[in-house]
Amino acid sequence: MMRGSLILLSSLIFLLLEGCVPVAMVSGAATATAVFGERRGSSGFLEDNWVAVKIRNTYLQSNKVSAGNVNVSVYRGKVLLTGVAASEEEITEAKRIAQETQGVNKVISELKVQYASASDIALDILISNKVKMKLLTDRDVRGLDFHVETTKGVVYIIGMARTIGERDAAVKIASEVAKVKQVVSYIDIDPKAYPVNPDASEETPAPQISKNRNASDILEDNWVAMKIRGAYVQSDIVHVGNIDVSVYLGQVLLTGTASSEKEIAEAIRIAKNTMGVWEVISELKVEQVTTSDLAADAWLTNKVKVALLADQIASGLGIHVQTTKKVVYLTGVTATIMERDRALEVARNVSGVEKVVSYVDIEADAQRKK
């Protein structure tokens, strides 16, 4: 299951890094949100991309603008123009076209009159991709909400951050990428999420787990899990191969084994400090695990998942399953107490399962039942 999620995430990252806009693939608002999971929402995402397409198309029809040299980024109606131009007249025309396009509320021009060679353009693309990847995988920022363009080594970022700290972290991450000469930020702070004032708290409030996840929630949880695993890979203390990470609406469940209490403490610390996490539950145990143990646990996990999906009462799609040393851990949300209890019964009845530990919530009352 983990491998499938990573493949999906890798594919999404590839699309984002390539700058692809798969609007034709979108069959509705839910699908768009599922793919991009941005704070501006699926309708905002589609509207901004439609504005960008209209601007680019007008550039193509213009005799004064070299469309291939001008990058157009749009976020909530704010347009950022980057790249190079042959003259000040071309810059003026590019700005005019953008300003007169329906749906645009502001135009920021970072266009410069200068020459960019093929090697310059190739290096800029490489830099942009590296910055995007860093933002997407860093646990302190939510990289989905930032657009990145690079011109002659200068990185421009536009988008929305939830806090001042997240905005500053994004700029710092970009500035540390090799070959970056300067970072210019046009990142706004979301006033609806957090008021911008010196006394404002930047801590993430705990959401109420009172509903099943929608498509956007699923992608958000996958990003959080990926960031945690990425931080584990970079840690000298945590052995990522022995730890399973499950995330459900920002609630993290850590299962598996560790070599010491120090490793467990570090794994918990990293998870708690990851953006998007509001609670960490650790079921990590200090014990040795063999290759045969891992294989047996993986087999049990798959058997439980199949049994839940096949059951007529238990909603297998809303429940995550992890197994350590034949102990099965369940997380997720069910619509009723009966559905939750049935899921426990199904898991217990799977051959080879010694114990079932449940962190499944009930949608109706949102009370944690263990």
XYZ file of all heavy atoms in Angstrom, residues 39 75-76 159-164 187-197 200-201:
175
model
N -4.775 25.247 -1.189
C -5.620 26.022 -0.289
C -6.664 26.833 -1.047
O -7.734 27.103 -0.524
C -4.748 26.983 0.544
C -3.906 26.274 1.589
C -3.233 27.273 2.514
N -2.427 26.556 3.498
C -1.111 26.650 3.596
N -0.457 27.438 2.794
N -0.454 25.975 4.505
N -2.153 33.294 -9.312
C -2.612 32.759 -8.043
C -3.670 33.692 -7.471
O -3.387 34.830 -7.139
C -1.451 32.601 -7.054
C -1.762 31.647 -5.926
C -1.415 30.303 -5.998
C -2.441 32.084 -4.792
C -1.707 29.418 -4.976
C -2.745 31.209 -3.761
C -2.376 29.877 -3.858
O -2.697 29.005 -2.837
N -4.903 33.198 -7.413
C -6.041 33.968 -6.929
C -6.181 35.297 -7.654
O -6.412 36.347 -7.052
C -5.940 34.175 -5.415
C -6.136 32.871 -4.628
C -6.195 33.105 -3.146
N -6.526 31.883 -2.432
C -6.675 31.782 -1.113
N -6.506 32.857 -0.361
N -6.973 30.637 -0.548
N 2.264 32.649 -4.326
C 1.353 31.680 -3.737
C 0.823 32.163 -2.404
O 0.782 33.357 -2.122
N 0.415 31.198 -1.581
C -0.210 31.517 -0.300
C 0.405 30.680 0.812
O 0.545 29.464 0.684
C -1.717 31.235 -0.377
C -2.495 31.589 0.874
S -2.711 33.379 1.082
C -3.842 33.739 -0.260
N 0.782 31.325 1.904
C 1.281 30.624 3.086
C 0.293 30.821 4.221
O -0.412 31.831 4.284
C 2.654 31.161 3.491
N 0.245 29.847 5.112
C -0.686 29.953 6.231
C -0.146 30.845 7.341
O -0.908 31.457 8.074
C -0.985 28.551 6.772
C -2.081 28.515 7.816
C -2.697 27.149 7.971
N -1.690 26.106 8.119
C -1.980 24.804 8.168
N -3.233 24.424 8.043
N -1.040 23.911 8.324
N 1.182 30.895 7.461
C 1.791 31.712 8.503
C 3.020 32.438 7.964
O 3.551 32.086 6.907
C 2.252 30.847 9.694
O 3.309 29.986 9.258
C 1.123 30.012 10.260
N 3.459 33.440 8.698
C 4.685 34.148 8.342
C 5.856 33.174 8.365
O 6.753 33.220 7.519
C 4.934 35.326 9.308
C 3.833 36.380 9.154
C 6.305 35.953 9.078
C 3.882 37.487 10.180
N 4.748 35.839 -1.925
C 3.887 34.932 -1.170
C 3.024 35.736 -0.201
O 3.531 36.527 0.593
C 4.725 33.907 -0.384
C 5.594 33.073 -1.328
C 3.822 33.001 0.452
C 6.577 32.165 -0.614
N 1.723 35.539 -0.270
C 0.800 36.197 0.646
C 0.547 35.310 1.863
O 0.709 34.095 1.807
C -0.537 36.479 -0.049
C -0.400 37.522 -1.154
O 0.390 38.459 -0.971
O -1.074 37.387 -2.191
N 0.131 35.944 2.961
C -0.284 35.207 4.152
C -1.801 35.108 4.127
O -2.483 36.112 3.916
C 0.152 35.908 5.452
C 1.646 36.258 5.390
C -0.156 35.039 6.663
C 2.564 35.077 5.248
N -2.328 33.913 4.330
C -3.768 33.701 4.281
C -4.430 34.341 5.506
O -4.295 33.838 6.616
C -4.064 32.197 4.258
C -5.539 31.900 4.001
O -6.331 32.857 3.981
O -5.883 30.721 3.822
N -5.157 35.449 5.327
C -5.755 36.137 6.475
C -6.908 35.354 7.098
O -7.249 35.548 8.255
C -6.247 37.462 5.870
C -6.490 37.142 4.430
C -5.457 36.117 4.052
N -7.522 34.468 6.322
C -8.645 33.690 6.845
C -8.170 32.610 7.800
O -8.850 32.250 8.753
C -9.425 33.054 5.690
C -10.114 34.058 4.784
C -10.880 33.353 3.679
C -11.564 34.366 2.774
N -12.287 33.699 1.659
N -6.976 32.069 7.528
C -6.459 30.990 8.372
C -5.811 31.545 9.632
O -6.042 31.057 10.729
C -5.459 30.138 7.591
N -4.993 32.579 9.449
C -4.282 33.148 10.592
C -4.181 34.655 10.428
O -3.668 35.142 9.428
C -2.864 32.576 10.707
C -2.846 31.126 11.082
C -2.902 30.155 10.097
C -2.787 30.740 12.416
C -2.899 28.810 10.442
C -2.782 29.406 12.762
C -2.836 28.447 11.772
O -2.836 27.136 12.106
N -4.648 35.448 11.420
C -4.482 36.902 11.336
C -3.009 37.270 11.378
O -2.243 36.669 12.120
C -5.213 37.410 12.596
C -5.192 36.241 13.527
C -5.272 35.019 12.656
N -2.644 38.235 10.543
C -1.238 38.636 10.502
C -1.012 39.769 11.491
O -1.267 40.938 11.212
C -0.846 39.088 9.072
C 0.631 39.452 9.032
C -1.156 37.994 8.076
N -0.562 39.440 12.689
C -0.194 40.443 13.677
C 0.833 39.824 14.610
O 0.944 38.604 14.701
C -1.423 40.962 14.434
C -2.074 39.875 15.269
O -1.497 39.414 16.250
N -3.293 39.474 14.902
N -0.244 36.991 16.949
C -0.988 35.849 16.407
C -0.250 34.549 16.672
O 0.961 34.472 16.559
C -1.201 36.028 14.901
N -0.997 33.526 17.017
C -0.404 32.204 17.227
C -0.249 31.504 15.894
O -1.125 31.571 15.042
C -1.311 31.362 18.132
O -0.861 30.025 18.160
